[in-house]
PDB file of all heavy atoms in Angstrom:
ATOM      1  N   VAL O   1     -55.100 153.139 170.222  1.00 46.00           N
ATOM      2  CA  VAL O   1     -54.984 152.184 171.353  1.00 46.00           C
ATOM      3  C   VAL O   1     -54.519 150.832 170.843  1.00 46.00           C
ATOM      4  O   VAL O   1     -53.609 150.160 171.381  1.00 46.00           O
ATOM      5  CB  VAL O   1     -56.274 152.019 172.213  1.00 46.00           C
ATOM      6  CG1 VAL O   1     -56.159 150.920 173.204  1.00 46.00           C
ATOM      7  CG2 VAL O   1     -56.508 153.360 172.946  1.00 46.00           C
ATOM      8  N   LEU O   2     -55.148 150.355 169.737  1.00 43.00           N
ATOM      9  CA  LEU O   2     -54.805 149.031 169.204  1.00 43.00           C
ATOM     10  C   LEU O   2     -53.378 148.988 168.633  1.00 43.00           C
ATOM     11  O   LEU O   2     -52.709 148.014 168.783  1.00 43.00           O
ATOM     12  CB  LEU O   2     -55.833 148.682 168.101  1.00 43.00           C
ATOM     13  CG  LEU O   2     -57.228 148.346 168.642  1.00 43.00           C
ATOM     14  CD1 LEU O   2     -58.184 148.237 167.400  1.00 43.00           C
ATOM     15  CD2 LEU O   2     -57.128 146.965 169.335  1.00 43.00           C
ATOM     16  N   LYS O   3     -53.001 150.206 168.067  1.00 44.00           N
ATOM     17  CA  LYS O   3     -51.635 150.167 167.566  1.00 44.00           C
ATOM     18  C   LYS O   3     -50.589 150.182 168.719  1.00 44.00           C
ATOM     19  O   LYS O   3     -49.584 149.550 168.551  1.00 44.00           O
ATOM     20  CB  LYS O   3     -51.409 151.514 166.813  1.00 44.00           C
ATOM     21  CG  LYS O   3     -51.862 151.394 165.298  1.00 44.00           C
ATOM     22  CD  LYS O   3     -51.370 152.662 164.555  1.00 44.00           C
ATOM     23  CE  LYS O   3     -51.621 152.456 163.025  1.00 44.00           C
ATOM     24  NZ  LYS O   3     -51.116 153.636 162.271  1.00 44.00           N
ATOM     25  N   ALA O   4     -50.968 150.703 169.804  1.00 39.00           N
ATOM     26  CA  ALA O   4     -50.005 150.851 170.957  1.00 39.00           C
ATOM     27  C   ALA O   4     -49.979 149.544 171.806  1.00 39.00           C
ATOM     28  O   ALA O   4     -49.026 149.330 172.502  1.00 39.00           O
ATOM     29  CB  ALA O   4     -50.331 152.064 171.819  1.00 39.00           C
ATOM     30  N   GLN O   5     -50.988 148.775 171.709  1.00 49.00           N
ATOM     31  CA  GLN O   5     -51.092 147.620 172.636  1.00 49.00           C
ATOM     32  C   GLN O   5     -51.077 146.298 171.837  1.00 49.00           C
ATOM     33  O   GLN O   5     -51.549 146.294 170.613  1.00 49.00           O
ATOM     34  CB  GLN O   5     -52.414 147.671 173.416  1.00 49.00           C
ATOM     35  CG  GLN O   5     -52.503 148.949 174.280  1.00 49.00           C
ATOM     36  CD  GLN O   5     -51.490 148.958 175.418  1.00 49.00           C
ATOM     37  OE1 GLN O   5     -51.158 147.891 175.954  1.00 49.00           O
ATOM     38  NE2 GLN O   5     -51.186 150.199 175.831  1.00 49.00           N
ATOM     39  N   ASP O   6     -50.618 145.167 172.394  1.00 52.00           N
ATOM     40  CA  ASP O   6     -50.671 143.971 171.867  1.00 52.00           C
ATOM     41  C   ASP O   6     -51.838 143.151 172.429  1.00 52.00           C
ATOM     42  O   ASP O   6     -51.709 142.706 173.559  1.00 52.00           O
ATOM     43  CB  ASP O   6     -49.301 143.198 172.040  1.00 52.00           C
ATOM     44  CG  ASP O   6     -49.273 141.848 171.334  1.00 52.00           C
ATOM     45  OD1 ASP O   6     -50.191 141.536 170.685  1.00 52.00           O
ATOM     46  OD2 ASP O   6     -48.216 141.117 171.431  1.00 52.00           O
ATOM     47  N   ILE O   7     -52.886 142.982 171.664  1.00 57.00           N
ATOM     48  CA  ILE O   7     -54.068 142.358 172.158  1.00 57.00           C
ATOM     49  C   ILE O   7     -53.957 140.837 172.216  1.00 57.00           C
ATOM     50  O   ILE O   7     -54.799 140.142 172.681  1.00 57.00           O
ATOM     51  CB  ILE O   7     -55.308 142.779 171.378  1.00 57.00           C
ATOM     52  CG1 ILE O   7     -55.166 142.434 169.919  1.00 57.00           C
ATOM     53  CG2 ILE O   7     -55.605 144.310 171.536  1.00 57.00           C
ATOM     54  CD1 ILE O   7     -56.425 142.565 169.051  1.00 57.00           C
ATOM     55  N   ASN O   8     -52.912 140.343 171.608  1.00 60.00           N
ATOM     56  CA  ASN O   8     -52.779 138.887 171.512  1.00 60.00           C
ATOM     57  C   ASN O   8     -51.740 138.286 172.524  1.00 60.00           C
ATOM     58  O   ASN O   8     -51.110 137.288 172.168  1.00 60.00           O
ATOM     59  CB  ASN O   8     -52.414 138.504 170.099  1.00 60.00           C
ATOM     60  CG  ASN O   8     -53.498 137.787 169.385  1.00 60.00           C
ATOM     61  OD1 ASN O   8     -54.663 137.724 169.806  1.00 60.00           O
ATOM     62  ND2 ASN O   8     -53.156 137.009 168.261  1.00 60.00           N
ATOM     63  N   LYS O   9     -51.628 138.881 173.616  1.00 75.00           N
ATOM     64  CA  LYS O   9     -50.765 138.309 174.624  1.00 75.00           C
ATOM     65  C   LYS O   9     -51.461 137.133 175.363  1.00 75.00           C
ATOM     66  O   LYS O   9     -52.642 137.252 175.708  1.00 75.00           O
ATOM     67  CB  LYS O   9     -50.364 139.451 175.623  1.00 75.00           C
ATOM     68  CG  LYS O   9     -49.400 140.410 174.990  1.00 75.00           C
ATOM     69  CD  LYS O   9     -48.937 141.421 176.027  1.00 75.00           C
ATOM     70  CE  LYS O   9     -47.885 142.428 175.491  1.00 75.00           C
ATOM     71  NZ  LYS O   9     -47.457 143.506 176.461  1.00 75.00           N
ATOM     72  N   ALA O  10     -50.688 136.096 175.591  1.00 87.00           N
ATOM     73  CA  ALA O  10     -51.266 134.907 176.221  1.00 87.00           C
ATOM     74  C   ALA O  10     -51.818 135.271 177.582  1.00 87.00           C
ATOM     75  O   ALA O  10     -51.275 136.073 178.305  1.00 87.00           O
ATOM     76  CB  ALA O  10     -50.269 133.803 176.309  1.00 87.00           C
ATOM     77  N   GLY O  11     -52.852 134.513 178.030  1.00 90.00           N
ATOM     78  CA  GLY O  11     -53.380 134.604 179.387  1.00 90.00           C
ATOM     79  C   GLY O  11     -54.687 135.393 179.518  1.00 90.00           C
ATOM     80  O   GLY O  11     -55.335 135.249 180.585  1.00 90.00           O
ATOM     81  N   TRP O  12     -55.139 136.101 178.478  1.00 92.00           N
ATOM     82  CA  TRP O  12     -56.350 136.819 178.512  1.00 92.00           C
ATOM     83  C   TRP O  12     -57.578 135.911 178.816  1.00 92.00           C
ATOM     84  O   TRP O  12     -57.718 134.904 178.182  1.00 92.00           O
ATOM     85  CB  TRP O  12     -56.645 137.594 177.321  1.00 92.00           C
ATOM     86  CG  TRP O  12     -55.922 138.938 177.306  1.00 92.00           C
ATOM     87  CD1 TRP O  12     -54.823 139.408 176.475  1.00 92.00           C
ATOM     88  CD2 TRP O  12     -56.179 140.108 178.124  1.00 92.00           C
ATOM     89  NE1 TRP O  12     -54.464 140.662 176.843  1.00 92.00           N
ATOM     90  CE2 TRP O  12     -55.271 141.086 177.803  1.00 92.00           C
ATOM     91  CE3 TRP O  12     -57.145 140.325 179.082  1.00 92.00           C
ATOM     92  CZ2 TRP O  12     -55.257 142.405 178.408  1.00 92.00           C
ATOM     93  CZ3 TRP O  12     -57.172 141.602 179.729  1.00 92.00           C
ATOM     94  CH2 TRP O  12     -56.269 142.601 179.368  1.00 92.00           C
ATOM     95  N   PHE O  13     -58.494 136.274 179.669  1.00 95.00           N
ATOM     96  CA  PHE O  13     -59.713 135.739 179.954  1.00 95.00           C
ATOM     97  C   PHE O  13     -60.818 136.543 179.419  1.00 95.00           C
ATOM     98  O   PHE O  13     -60.846 137.725 179.845  1.00 95.00           O
ATOM     99  CB  PHE O  13     -59.945 135.322 181.407  1.00 95.00           C
ATOM    100  CG  PHE O  13     -61.276 134.803 181.758  1.00 95.00           C
ATOM    101  CD1 PHE O  13     -61.435 133.379 181.798  1.00 95.00           C
ATOM    102  CD2 PHE O  13     -62.387 135.544 182.015  1.00 95.00           C
ATOM    103  CE1 PHE O  13     -62.712 132.760 182.125  1.00 95.00           C
ATOM    104  CE2 PHE O  13     -63.646 134.988 182.301  1.00 95.00           C
ATOM    105  CZ  PHE O  13     -63.784 133.630 182.394  1.00 95.00           C
ATOM    106  N   SER O  14     -61.620 136.102 178.511  1.00 96.00           N
ATOM    107  CA  SER O  14     -62.697 136.884 177.952  1.00 96.00           C
ATOM    108  C   SER O  14     -64.019 136.205 178.252  1.00 96.00           C
ATOM    109  O   SER O  14     -64.188 134.954 178.357  1.00 96.00           O
ATOM    110  CB  SER O  14     -62.601 137.020 176.377  1.00 96.00           C
ATOM    111  OG  SER O  14     -61.288 137.528 176.080  1.00 96.00           O
ATOM    112  N   PHE O  15     -65.048 137.091 178.262  1.00 97.00           N
ATOM    113  CA  PHE O  15     -66.466 136.555 178.483  1.00 97.00           C
ATOM    114  C   PHE O  15     -67.283 137.232 177.403  1.00 97.00           C
ATOM    115  O   PHE O  15     -67.138 138.387 177.074  1.00 97.00           O
ATOM    116  CB  PHE O  15     -66.933 136.986 179.845  1.00 97.00           C
ATOM    117  CG  PHE O  15     -68.417 136.490 180.115  1.00 97.00           C
ATOM    118  CD1 PHE O  15     -68.655 135.214 180.431  1.00 97.00           C
ATOM    119  CD2 PHE O  15     -69.483 137.399 180.005  1.00 97.00           C
ATOM    120  CE1 PHE O  15     -69.978 134.737 180.600  1.00 97.00           C
ATOM    121  CE2 PHE O  15     -70.749 136.856 180.168  1.00 97.00           C
ATOM    122  CZ  PHE O  15     -71.062 135.568 180.482  1.00 97.00           C
ATOM    123  N   GLY O  16     -68.303 136.380 176.897  1.00 97.00           N
ATOM    124  CA  GLY O  16     -69.097 136.924 175.887  1.00 97.00           C
ATOM    125  C   GLY O  16     -70.467 136.309 175.792  1.00 97.00           C
ATOM    126  O   GLY O  16     -70.770 135.272 176.420  1.00 97.00           O
ATOM    127  N   MET O  17     -71.340 136.963 175.045  1.00 97.00           N
ATOM    128  CA  MET O  17     -72.670 136.479 174.715  1.00 97.00           C
ATOM    129  C   MET O  17     -72.813 136.226 173.247  1.00 97.00           C
ATOM    130  O   MET O  17     -72.227 136.927 172.452  1.00 97.00           O
ATOM    131  CB  MET O  17     -73.726 137.469 175.131  1.00 97.00           C
ATOM    132  CG  MET O  17     -73.715 137.784 176.707  1.00 97.00           C
ATOM    133  SD  MET O  17     -73.931 136.378 177.769  1.00 97.00           S
ATOM    134  CE  MET O  17     -75.594 135.956 177.410  1.00 97.00           C
ATOM    135  N   ARG O  18     -73.589 135.152 172.768  1.00 97.00           N
ATOM    136  CA  ARG O  18     -73.600 134.760 171.444  1.00 97.00           C
ATOM    137  C   ARG O  18     -74.984 134.515 171.005  1.00 97.00           C
ATOM    138  O   ARG O  18     -75.865 134.093 171.706  1.00 97.00           O
ATOM    139  CB  ARG O  18     -72.633 133.608 171.221  1.00 97.00           C
ATOM    140  CG  ARG O  18     -72.777 132.495 172.069  1.00 97.00           C
ATOM    141  CD  ARG O  18     -71.626 131.574 172.134  1.00 97.00           C
ATOM    142  NE  ARG O  18     -71.817 130.495 171.141  1.00 97.00           N
ATOM    143  CZ  ARG O  18     -70.823 129.842 170.665  1.00 97.00           C
ATOM    144  NH1 ARG O  18     -69.612 130.132 170.977  1.00 97.00           N
ATOM    145  NH2 ARG O  18     -71.085 128.815 169.773  1.00 97.00           N
ATOM    146  N   SER O  19     -75.187 134.694 169.642  1.00 97.00           N
ATOM    147  CA  SER O  19     -76.458 134.264 168.984  1.00 97.00           C
ATOM    148  C   SER O  19     -76.065 133.377 167.772  1.00 97.00           C
ATOM    149  O   SER O  19     -75.173 133.677 167.106  1.00 97.00           O
ATOM    150  CB  SER O  19     -77.233 135.450 168.512  1.00 97.00           C
ATOM    151  OG  SER O  19     -78.434 135.051 167.906  1.00 97.00           O
ATOM    152  N   THR O  20     -76.685 132.256 167.662  1.00 95.00           N
ATOM    153  CA  THR O  20     -76.342 131.229 166.617  1.00 95.00           C
ATOM    154  C   THR O  20     -77.548 130.974 165.720  1.00 95.00           C
ATOM    155  O   THR O  20     -78.662 130.693 166.214  1.00 95.00           O
ATOM    156  CB  THR O  20     -75.888 129.931 167.318  1.00 95.00           C
ATOM    157  OG1 THR O  20     -74.738 130.258 168.113  1.00 95.00           O
ATOM    158  CG2 THR O  20     -75.463 128.912 166.270  1.00 95.00           C
ATOM    159  N   PHE O  21     -77.325 130.969 164.399  1.00 95.00           N
ATOM    160  CA  PHE O  21     -78.270 130.540 163.408  1.00 95.00           C
ATOM    161  C   PHE O  21     -77.985 129.245 162.890  1.00 95.00           C
ATOM    162  O   PHE O  21     -76.795 128.978 162.388  1.00 95.00           O
ATOM    163  CB  PHE O  21     -78.323 131.571 162.295  1.00 95.00           C
ATOM    164  CG  PHE O  21     -79.265 131.339 161.148  1.00 95.00           C
ATOM    165  CD1 PHE O  21     -80.621 131.414 161.370  1.00 95.00           C
ATOM    166  CD2 PHE O  21     -78.713 130.765 159.941  1.00 95.00           C
ATOM    167  CE1 PHE O  21     -81.487 131.104 160.256  1.00 95.00           C
ATOM    168  CE2 PHE O  21     -79.565 130.524 158.906  1.00 95.00           C
ATOM    169  CZ  PHE O  21     -81.005 130.669 159.021  1.00 95.00           C
ATOM    170  N   SER O  22     -78.850 128.364 162.880  1.00 92.00           N
ATOM    171  CA  SER O  22     -78.718 126.970 162.353  1.00 92.00           C
ATOM    172  C   SER O  22     -79.371 126.782 161.106  1.00 92.00           C
ATOM    173  O   SER O  22     -80.523 127.184 160.939  1.00 92.00           O
ATOM    174  CB  SER O  22     -79.265 125.943 163.503  1.00 92.00           C
ATOM    175  OG  SER O  22     -79.220 124.609 162.907  1.00 92.00           O
ATOM    176  N   ALA O  23     -78.693 126.087 160.184  1.00 89.00           N
ATOM    177  CA  ALA O  23     -79.286 125.844 158.830  1.00 89.00           C
ATOM    178  C   ALA O  23     -78.693 124.646 158.196  1.00 89.00           C
ATOM    179  O   ALA O  23     -77.768 123.982 158.761  1.00 89.00           O
ATOM    180  CB  ALA O  23     -78.872 127.066 157.833  1.00 89.00           C
ATOM    181  N   PHE O  24     -79.346 124.178 157.073  1.00 75.00           N
ATOM    182  CA  PHE O  24     -78.860 122.996 156.294  1.00 75.00           C
ATOM    183  C   PHE O  24     -78.928 121.676 157.184  1.00 75.00           C
ATOM    184  O   PHE O  24     -78.023 120.978 157.108  1.00 75.00           O
ATOM    185  CB  PHE O  24     -77.554 123.266 155.747  1.00 75.00           C
ATOM    186  CG  PHE O  24     -77.481 124.277 154.778  1.00 75.00           C
ATOM    187  CD1 PHE O  24     -76.854 125.524 155.077  1.00 75.00           C
ATOM    188  CD2 PHE O  24     -78.015 124.170 153.516  1.00 75.00           C
ATOM    189  CE1 PHE O  24     -76.763 126.606 154.248  1.00 75.00           C
ATOM    190  CE2 PHE O  24     -77.927 125.383 152.651  1.00 75.00           C
ATOM    191  CZ  PHE O  24     -77.394 126.428 152.960  1.00 75.00           C
ATOM    192  N   SER O  25     -80.026 121.595 157.931  1.00 75.00           N
ATOM    193  CA  SER O  25     -80.186 120.272 158.748  1.00 75.00           C
ATOM    194  C   SER O  25     -81.570 119.839 158.357  1.00 75.00           C
ATOM    195  O   SER O  25     -82.436 120.500 157.791  1.00 75.00           O
ATOM    196  CB  SER O  25     -80.046 120.550 160.219  1.00 75.00           C
ATOM    197  OG  SER O  25     -81.207 121.159 160.716  1.00 75.00           O
ATOM    198  N   ASP O  26     -81.868 118.471 158.650  1.00 77.00           N
ATOM    199  CA  ASP O  26     -83.126 117.897 158.450  1.00 77.00           C
ATOM    200  C   ASP O  26     -84.218 118.553 159.181  1.00 77.00           C
ATOM    201  O   ASP O  26     -85.381 118.533 158.817  1.00 77.00           O
ATOM    202  CB  ASP O  26     -83.078 116.418 158.801  1.00 77.00           C
ATOM    203  CG  ASP O  26     -82.252 115.579 157.797  1.00 77.00           C
ATOM    204  OD1 ASP O  26     -81.930 116.064 156.786  1.00 77.00           O
ATOM    205  OD2 ASP O  26     -81.876 114.457 158.138  1.00 77.00           O
ATOM    206  N   ASP O  27     -83.889 119.263 160.297  1.00 82.00           N
ATOM    207  CA  ASP O  27     -84.837 119.921 161.083  1.00 82.00           C
ATOM    208  C   ASP O  27     -85.263 121.254 160.541  1.00 82.00           C
ATOM    209  O   ASP O  27     -86.226 121.860 160.996  1.00 82.00           O
ATOM    210  CB  ASP O  27     -84.286 120.224 162.570  1.00 82.00           C
ATOM    211  CG  ASP O  27     -84.160 118.851 163.374  1.00 82.00           C
ATOM    212  OD1 ASP O  27     -84.535 117.836 162.773  1.00 82.00           O
ATOM    213  OD2 ASP O  27     -83.673 118.942 164.453  1.00 82.00           O
ATOM    214  N   GLY O  28     -84.557 121.824 159.566  1.00 83.00           N
ATOM    215  CA  GLY O  28     -84.860 123.231 159.093  1.00 83.00           C
ATOM    216  C   GLY O  28     -83.913 124.264 159.680  1.00 83.00           C
ATOM    217  O   GLY O  28     -82.768 123.938 160.031  1.00 83.00           O
ATOM    218  N   THR O  29     -84.379 125.423 159.699  1.00 89.00           N
ATOM    219  CA  THR O  29     -83.612 126.507 160.320  1.00 89.00           C
ATOM    220  C   THR O  29     -84.099 127.070 161.533  1.00 89.00           C
ATOM    221  O   THR O  29     -85.348 127.027 161.761  1.00 89.00           O
ATOM    222  CB  THR O  29     -83.557 127.764 159.205  1.00 89.00           C
ATOM    223  OG1 THR O  29     -84.914 128.154 158.921  1.00 89.00           O
ATOM    224  CG2 THR O  29     -82.947 127.262 157.871  1.00 89.00           C
ATOM    225  N   GLY O  30     -83.305 127.613 162.414  1.00 90.00           N
ATOM    226  CA  GLY O  30     -83.616 128.166 163.730  1.00 90.00           C
ATOM    227  C   GLY O  30     -82.582 129.021 164.217  1.00 90.00           C
ATOM    228  O   GLY O  30     -81.470 129.067 163.668  1.00 90.00           O
TER     229      GLY O  30
END
């Protein structure tokens, strides 16, 4: 499917969920 389609065509709207790890700050890690 990826070979047959161009996933980088302009105009796509994507939605996502994320998890972030914070480090190297005075507050520590979280």
Side-chain angles (χ1 to χ4, degrees):
V1 170
L2 287 169
K3 276 191 172 184
Q5 302 291 332
D6 186 358
I7 60 173
N8 247 18
K9 289 182 177 178
W12 276 110
F13 177 93
S14 304
F15 180 79
M17 303 300 292
R18 50 197 268 157
S19 181
T20 299
F21 177 74
S22 174
F24 298 106
S25 75
D26 290 343
D27 290 356
T29 60

